Amino acid sequence: MCIGGNAVEITLIDKRDGFLHYIGITRGFTEPEFGADLWVPYATVPWLQHPSIKIRHATVTRITPNEVHLEEAGAVVPFDYLVIALGETRAAPIGTDALTKDQFVATLGAVHRQIKQARTVAVVGAGAVGIEMAADIKCDFEEKRVILAHSRALPLPGPFNDEFRQQVVGILESIGVDVMLGQRVIEQVPGPSVDGNVITPTPTTDSSNDEAGSEYTLTLADGRKIAADCVIRCLGAELDSNLRLLELPVDDDDNKDNSDPIFGPSGIRVRDTMQVDSDRYPHIYACGDICSRDKVKLAGVAMYGGYIAARNIARSVLAQRNSKNESVEVVLEKGTLYPPKILLLLGKDEFAMQLDQEIWEKESVKPFVYDDMGLKVSVEGLSLTQTPEHDGDLGISAD
């Protein structure tokens, strides 16, 4: 790989062997044939086969100012520039632990069978993922009872209008989802409850349900209980486990006592250039869900952050090579901070969108809704089936 005629080596470290289009994972569970296409193995991506690009299938254990440490004994990857894109951690099955496409397809099949055999499916947590999970199940299995339980009075945490949240509840109820709000699930145990205070599954004539698996009982904060044959927890994401990998002490002039680390509860603080917010580490960038820059963490936002980081690293490499090791000031690009937005796909025929403080009309949203949940757009945007075009602005070539 060349930047301005200079050879560079790029190492991609990922415990998985491919790209996963997470946006479509809820429908992948209800339609596993579609779900199989969500995983694109790195071995099939043409430009990743370039000899200057190395792919390490490994788990990161530590990140220090100039090295990435891997789980395998003594394995260390030194770097001149680093992009941290570790994302957030989610509980299974949404946060799949599959490392290969075959494992991922097997997980899709297993969850699909559980859903198919159940009379009642309970989805716990009404963030964006839980909302779309409940809608996809009800859309593909109309005969089943689908319960969406959420601890707050309205779904969808984040900077959104209550009017928008109420619109989402209305759509879910219109397609047949049983929405239970303001009730935290405090216990989940196998088997039916014995106290009689149980919300039981609705009888169905679907013969496939005769082979339903073990029933679970969910206890709500008010003492009510829900009986369900399948429970899918969508309780949001956590950053702590990934942030704990960072060993990047900060002792800038304005932080002599190292009391203000470069990350907080919402992730790594970054500048508009996508560099971590410390003068000590101009060579380290972060993008995607791991950083705290955007109020709403979305796939498109992550891709844009990666784009800005990559261009700025290329600018820095060019400036360093052209200066013949003399000190030179590099003018880096600054990414635009877009207003928060969300587009919820509620099955195949319903959707809802809010951009900043505006709730969009359904007809205005339609051009942004794709039957494949944006899979083709993402694959093309990341050039997963072809070599990226030459970027003349920076003199970047794939040769």
Side-chain angles (χ1 to χ4, degrees):
M1 191 70 67
C2 295
I3 298 179
N6 297 288
V8 297
E9 292 185 355
I10 300 172
T11 301
L12 172 63
I13 304 172
D14 192 345
K15 62 182 181 181
R16 301 189 181 116
D17 75 352
F19 164 79
L20 175 57
H21 183 64
Y22 249 117
I23 295 173
I25 196 167
T26 58
R27 192 164 301 166
F29 291 134
T30 61
E31 301 177 14
E33 289 185 2
F34 162 76
D37 292 334
L38 299 174
W39 190 292
V40 181
Y42 293 136
T44 67
V45 179
W47 58 272
L48 283 178
Q49 314 316 309
H50 193 282
S52 293
I53 298 178
K54 298 178 181 178
I55 301 177
R56 298 286 297 268
H57 300 305
T59 298
V60 175
T61 57
R62 294 170 58 211
I63 296 175
T64 61
N66 297 104
E67 295 176 331
V68 176
H69 296 250
L70 307 181
E71 192 172 49
E72 53 189 281
V76 174
V77 179
F79 60 83
D80 298 306
Y81 295 92
L82 174 68
V83 178
I84 303 172
L86 289 168
E88 297 176 303
T89 301
R90 293 182 179 272
I94 300 298
T96 177
D97 58 1
L99 302 181
T100 67
K101 182 169 184 173
D102 287 345
Q103 293 175 357
F104 178 64
V105 170
T107 298
L108 294 178
V111 176
H112 177 76
R113 286 189 294 274
Q114 292 175 16
I115 294 171
K116 186 176 181 179
Q117 293 172 1
R119 291 178 299 165
T120 294
V121 180
V123 178
V124 182
V129 176
I131 290 169
E132 293 191 342
M133 185 77 260
D136 276 325
I137 294 172
K138 192 62 182 179
C139 179
D140 282 336
F141 299 95
E142 295 182 13
E143 77 284 355
K144 300 186 186 301
R145 185 183 186 196
V146 179
I147 298 171
L148 178 60
H150 189 59
S151 61
R152 303 186 185 186
L154 287 171
L156 198 65
F160 306 110
N161 300 337
D162 283 353
E163 180 185 354
F164 178 70
R165 296 186 173 98
Q166 290 164 350
Q167 180 189 84
V168 171
V169 172
I171 295 174
L172 287 170
E173 291 178 338
S174 73
I175 65 176
V177 175
D178 188 351
V179 182
M180 296 183 177
L181 298 172
Q183 290 298 323
R184 184 180 301 277
V185 174
I186 61 174
E187 185 180 43
Q188 173 182 331
V189 296
S193 170
V194 296
D195 63 7
N197 188 22
V198 179
I199 305 170
T200 57
T202 303
T204 175
T205 57
D206 181 4
S207 61
S208 67
N209 291 326
D210 294 339
E211 298 179 1
S214 299
E215 183 180 89
Y216 294 92
T217 298
L218 304 181
T219 303
L220 303 180
D222 66 358
R224 289 184 298 163
K225 299 180 187 295
I226 301 171
D229 307 301
C230 175
V231 178
I232 299 177
R233 290 183 169 267
C234 301
L235 297 176
E238 65 92 11
L239 285 165
D240 287 351
S241 59
N242 288 337
L243 292 176
R244 284 196 294 268
L245 302 176
L246 306 180
E247 297 182 11
L248 303 176
V250 178
D251 59 357
D252 297 337
D253 291 339
D254 58 349
N255 187 39
K256 291 293 188 182
D257 60 356
N258 196 28
S259 60
D260 186 24
I262 61 172
F263 58 84
S266 59
I268 301 172
R269 291 198 311 277
V270 295
R271 299 171 178 175
D272 290 340
T273 57
M274 304 310 297
Q275 294 164 296
V276 299
D277 190 19
S278 169
D279 291 336
R280 187 173 181 179
Y281 306 115
H283 62 303
I284 299 180
Y285 294 72
C287 59
D289 291 0
I290 191 79
C291 68
S292 64
R293 185 169 183 264
D294 297 274
K295 293 182 179 179
V296 182
K297 299 182 179 184
L298 303 170
V301 171
M303 291 170 65
Y304 176 68
Y307 169 80
I308 295 298
R311 288 176 64 86
N312 281 337
I313 290 173
R315 284 172 178 263
S316 299
V317 171
L318 277 173
Q320 183 180 13
R321 299 289 172 86
N322 292 339
S323 67
K324 298 180 180 179
N325 296 323
E326 296 178 5
S327 178
V328 61
E329 182 177 354
V330 183
V331 178
L332 301 179
E333 292 186 44
K334 294 183 177 181
T336 301
L337 188 61
Y338 292 101
K341 70 173 182 179
I342 194 163
L343 169 58
L344 293 173
L345 304 178
L346 305 170
K348 296 178 180 176
D349 299 317
E350 299 292 342
F351 37 84
M353 178 173 170
Q354 179 177 327
L355 175 59
D356 203 3
Q357 296 301 307
E358 181 183 359
I359 301 172
W360 283 34
E361 297 292 333
K362 188 172 183 178
E363 290 301 315
S364 300
V365 180
K366 278 185 178 180
F368 303 96
V369 176
Y370 302 95
D371 292 340
D372 65 354
M373 302 186 81
L375 175 60
K376 182 180 178 182
V377 171
S378 292
V379 167
E380 292 180 350
L382 294 170
S383 299
L384 298 181
T385 59
Q386 59 189 4
T387 300
E389 295 182 0
H390 173 79
D391 190 334
D393 291 342
L394 292 174
I396 299 175
S397 169
D399 298 329

